[in-house]
Amino acid sequence: MAAFILVACSSDNSVSSKDESPASSSSNGIESSAGQSEFSLDFDDRWPDLYTTLSSICSEYHFAEGEISEVTFDIWSPEANKLNLKNVKGEITDMGNGWWKFSAPSDFYEKNKIEDGDYQIQWYIKGKPSKDSPLDSTSASHSIVLDRVSPEYELTIHKPVVSQENGLHFIQIAPKETEQASKITRFLRVFAVNKETKDTLVLFNTRNVFSEKFVNFKSGKSEWSGAADLYIQGFDNATPNRELSNLLSKIEKDSTKSPWSDVIHGDSFVEGINGTTIHKEIFIDDAPPAVSALKIDLISATIDDIPEFQKIQGDDELLLNKNDTLNISFDISKKLFDQESTIVDLQIILNDSIRDYKRTFEYQLAMKDSVEHFEFKETEDEQIRRDGIYSLSIVMKDERENVLTHSWSKTVRVDRTAPSIMGVETWNVQVPEFSELHDSATVFLNQLGDIEENRSDLSCFIRKQYNQEKSAWKSIGTESKSKTGVDQTSYQFEYLDMMSESDSGTVIFYAGCFDAAANFYWKTDFFSIGE
């Protein structure tokens, strides 16, 4: 008596391993023809299950002995007025070791316009009798869901150039709408292959995809910057054969360990698997913009009619006074990849942490070349008017939200407040002659308008104006008391050496002082000599 095992198979003649037991039970029936010994399939050791989704009409049977001479089948749809074909000649393949495959002819589907859906299959099998196997004919029936169409996807790549910072939702995958549950993607994966390093990064793995999915990019590796191949691969629930079905089940359980190479050859799934592969080239940009050729200096305005004086500053600072203009220039480097241009948001930040004050200058640059020059120069509207000791940082962010923060090693000290001179007193108003002049004069001043860090010794100067002519400025020494923060201090100086006994009429004296930042302020006093 012959023993039968029914399994599904693909149209490429691939079969399951002969020493592998069927995986599940089925209610598909096998009956012998009239007059023959009755036999049946072992229901506890059968594959596939009832209403298994198959990608082709195909069954495999095992005979302990004997040969098959002919097979036909009937196929019909449970739905009224649908397909109902009888006595279709099937194809027979002797697979060895007692295994036989029965399948529909390759032109059967197109010739009969077979659509995907539910079907009943009845096989009629004729065997060649022998003394050990008197079987002449038998039949087997089973119910299937036929699905020969691979899943299709609407793919939207929102950001063809991505980074790990903004990789969220850079790919949107949506299965095309269908009313058939069989078109649900059984398993979907998305991965990227770095073109340079050949590293592979799995971005997405999920089962039973029936609605749109969003994929992000996170590798945790900076060396992923550059071109990469993006692959989207998915297969549905159709079962090609027992061997591949087992492989697909393993992939579904753990796609990171199971060999995808067994089910995909090149860029396509093997025949019999309803699978779809999409390949796109993307660019991964994890490199922020770069700064080079950085130059930070100042432009000092020339002020006429004041003494010459060099500011006093430390080696680790850049000191700005009220006549200086801060100037910053540097080159910005950024790969454009396949874009005609890219946007870089730029901030120049001066932060006085002591006084909790920050001044930020913001710009948005449309870079059309991979290297572009940028220059910042203070203007009247963009001037740092608030005195303080500032750290200087350049912060740049590209479209992928890669951020560079470049901190200057020096500080920028802003001192744009000159010493306050309340008055100059020669103690003369009108004197009859030279000999009546006071020996010394006094300048009254303070530095209360300056922040404590900017208060310094003051270098003071005087000059005389007589008969519309001004003398050269003369140093009268250094004033040191006002830097302590007193409300007012007086600084005495001699001036008679700038007078002449022949002077008569109105005389004007100027007294002014520089602080360490070279801010200068002066005031005058005048008196008359003679009648």
Side-chain angles (χ1 to χ4, degrees):
M1 184 178 298
F4 294 87
I5 298 177
L6 174 64
V7 297
C9 60
S10 67
S11 58
D12 64 348
N13 295 336
S14 59
V15 298
S16 58
S17 301
K18 302 305 179 292
D19 58 351
E20 186 175 321
S21 299
S24 60
S25 64
S26 171
S27 61
N28 298 329
I30 295 181
E31 298 179 354
S32 61
S33 60
Q36 300 297 325
S37 301
E38 186 175 344
F39 64 95
S40 63
L41 188 66
D42 183 357
F43 291 146
D44 295 328
D45 197 20
R46 294 282 304 277
W47 186 92
D49 285 333
L50 183 67
Y51 287 110
T52 296
T53 302
L54 304 177
S55 57
S56 64
I57 299 172
C58 172
S59 298
E60 293 182 16
Y61 289 85
H62 183 264
F63 284 80
E65 294 182 3
E67 296 183 23
I68 306 301
S69 62
E70 181 181 310
V71 64
T72 59
F73 66 93
D74 297 344
I75 179 172
W76 66 95
S77 170
E79 298 182 37
N81 302 320
K82 283 243 179 174
L83 181 73
N84 189 347
L85 299 176
K86 294 185 178 297
N87 199 30
V88 180
K89 187 174 182 179
E91 295 183 346
I92 303 172
T93 304
D94 183 354
M95 305 179 70
N97 297 322
W99 283 88
W100 297 79
K101 181 176 76 171
F102 311 135
S103 58
S106 58
D107 63 350
F108 170 77
Y109 306 97
E110 184 176 353
K111 180 179 178 181
N112 294 284
K113 296 181 172 55
I114 303 299
E115 298 178 355
D116 289 354
D118 297 349
Y119 292 99
Q120 296 288 331
I121 306 291
Q122 182 82 32
W123 293 101
Y124 299 98
I125 307 161
K126 290 185 179 181
K128 294 180 180 179
S130 67
K131 63 178 181 178
D132 296 322
S133 179
L135 174 66
D136 179 48
S137 64
T138 189
S139 65
S141 64
H142 55 111
S143 302
I144 67 167
V145 178
L146 184 65
D147 180 3
R148 293 169 50 81
V149 179
S150 297
E152 295 183 73
Y153 307 103
E154 298 284 355
L155 176 65
T156 304
I157 299 181
H158 297 287
K159 300 169 183 175
V161 182
V162 301
S163 76
Q164 299 187 69
E165 293 299 322
N166 77 341
L168 289 175
H169 299 178
F170 85 100
I171 300 173
Q172 180 180 352
I173 304 170
K176 288 189 176 179
E177 293 185 5
T178 175
E179 296 179 356
Q180 298 186 35
S182 60
K183 295 300 187 293
I184 294 175
T185 298
R186 178 181 176 184
F187 195 85
L188 178 70
R189 77 165 179 171
V190 180
F191 65 96
V193 179
N194 188 292
K195 282 185 176 289
E196 183 175 351
T197 65
K198 304 305 179 185
D199 287 342
T200 298
L201 176 67
V202 177
L203 303 175
F204 187 76
N205 275 321
T206 192
R207 302 182 182 92
N208 298 326
V209 178
F210 56 87
S211 61
E212 64 182 1
K213 298 293 180 182
F214 297 93
V215 180
N216 64 355
F217 179 86
K218 288 287 182 183
S219 74
K221 299 179 180 180
S222 60
E223 59 267 25
W224 265 89
S225 285
D229 291 307
L230 178 72
Y231 293 91
I232 295 94
Q233 296 173 340
F235 55 87
D236 65 12
N237 289 299
T239 301
N241 59 52
R242 188 171 59 188
E243 181 181 11
L244 288 177
S245 178
N246 289 338
L247 287 174
L248 294 178
S249 295
K250 291 178 181 178
I251 288 172
E252 185 179 10
K253 290 178 181 178
D254 189 348
S255 69
T256 60
K257 295 182 179 179
S258 300
W260 280 79
S261 59
D262 290 338
V263 297
I264 293 180
H265 294 165
D267 285 344
S268 302
F269 282 85
V270 299
E271 188 176 355
I273 297 177
N274 293 338
T276 298
T277 294
I278 300 174
H279 171 217
K280 294 285 185 181
E281 185 179 68
I282 62 171
F283 294 93
I284 299 166
D285 182 5
D286 279 335
V291 169
S292 61
L294 175 62
K295 183 179 180 181
I296 302 176
D297 58 11
L298 53 85
I299 301 171
S300 296
T302 301
I303 307 299
D304 296 331
D305 211 27
I306 65 172
E308 291 186 4
F309 181 79
Q310 294 293 325
K311 66 177 64 171
I312 303 169
Q313 63 180 353
D315 294 335
D316 59 349
E317 67 178 3
L318 180 68
L319 179 56
L320 298 178
N321 66 28
K322 63 181 180 180
N323 300 314
D324 293 332
T325 299
L326 179 63
N327 188 67
I328 304 171
S329 64
F330 52 89
D331 290 335
I332 303 172
S333 302
K334 180 64 193 175
K335 287 185 178 180
L336 301 184
F337 294 102
D338 63 340
Q339 303 172 111
E340 292 183 0
S341 64
T342 188
I343 299 297
V344 172
D345 292 323
L346 168 65
Q347 292 181 325
I348 296 176
I349 302 173
L350 290 108
N351 183 33
D352 183 356
S353 59
I354 299 174
R355 275 154 286 276
D356 194 24
Y357 174 76
K358 182 186 295 185
R359 183 69 191 274
T360 302
F361 302 95
E362 297 185 341
Y363 306 91
Q364 189 173 82
L365 311 176
M367 292 186 61
K368 296 183 178 180
D369 296 312
S370 58
V371 179
E372 292 196 3
H373 186 72
F374 176 82
E375 187 165 338
F376 165 84
K377 184 181 292 185
E378 278 186 293
T379 64
E380 186 175 348
D381 294 332
E382 294 183 333
Q383 189 180 51
I384 309 164
R385 296 184 175 89
R386 191 163 173 173
D387 288 355
I389 300 175
Y390 294 87
S391 62
L392 189 150
S393 300
I394 298 169
V395 178
M396 291 190 293
K397 182 172 69 174
D398 62 21
E399 292 181 76
R400 269 68 67 187
E401 298 182 13
N402 297 306
V403 178
L404 168 79
T405 300
H406 182 91
S407 299
W408 195 38
S409 59
K410 296 183 178 182
T411 58
V412 177
R413 183 153 64 92
V414 178
D415 181 358
R416 286 176 162 153
T417 302
S420 295
I421 297 180
M422 284 77 76
V424 179
E425 186 60 69
T426 61
W427 310 109
N428 304 306
V429 178
Q430 185 171 3
V431 295
E433 56 185 27
F434 176 83
S435 61
E436 298 292 328
L437 293 174
H438 281 78
D439 293 339
S440 62
T442 304
V443 58
F444 299 93
L445 46 78
N446 68 42
Q447 297 186 59
L448 294 178
D450 223 337
I451 62 174
E452 185 175 351
E453 294 90 337
N454 285 344
R455 296 171 188 169
S456 65
D457 289 341
L458 303 181
S459 298
C460 299
F461 296 80
I462 62 170
R463 76 172 174 181
K464 167 191 170 186
Q465 180 177 331
Y466 177 66
N467 288 337
Q468 304 300 318
E469 292 186 6
K470 296 178 182 178
S471 69
W473 288 93
K474 174 189 173 184
S475 173
I476 56 173
T478 301
E479 189 281 321
S480 301
K481 189 176 180 181
S482 62
K483 67 183 179 183
T484 62
V486 295
D487 291 342
Q488 178 176 290
T489 185
S490 58
Y491 181 69
Q492 288 188 331
F493 59 91
E494 295 182 355
Y495 67 96
L496 292 182
D497 59 346
M498 299 185 71
M499 296 291 296
S500 172
E501 292 185 5
S502 61
D503 290 342
S504 65
T506 301
V507 179
I508 301 173
F509 265 93
Y510 295 74
C513 297
F514 284 103
D515 62 14
N519 296 301
F520 185 70
Y521 190 67
W522 53 264
K523 277 195 173 181
T524 63
D525 188 27
F526 67 92
F527 54 88
S528 296
I529 302 175
E531 297 294 334

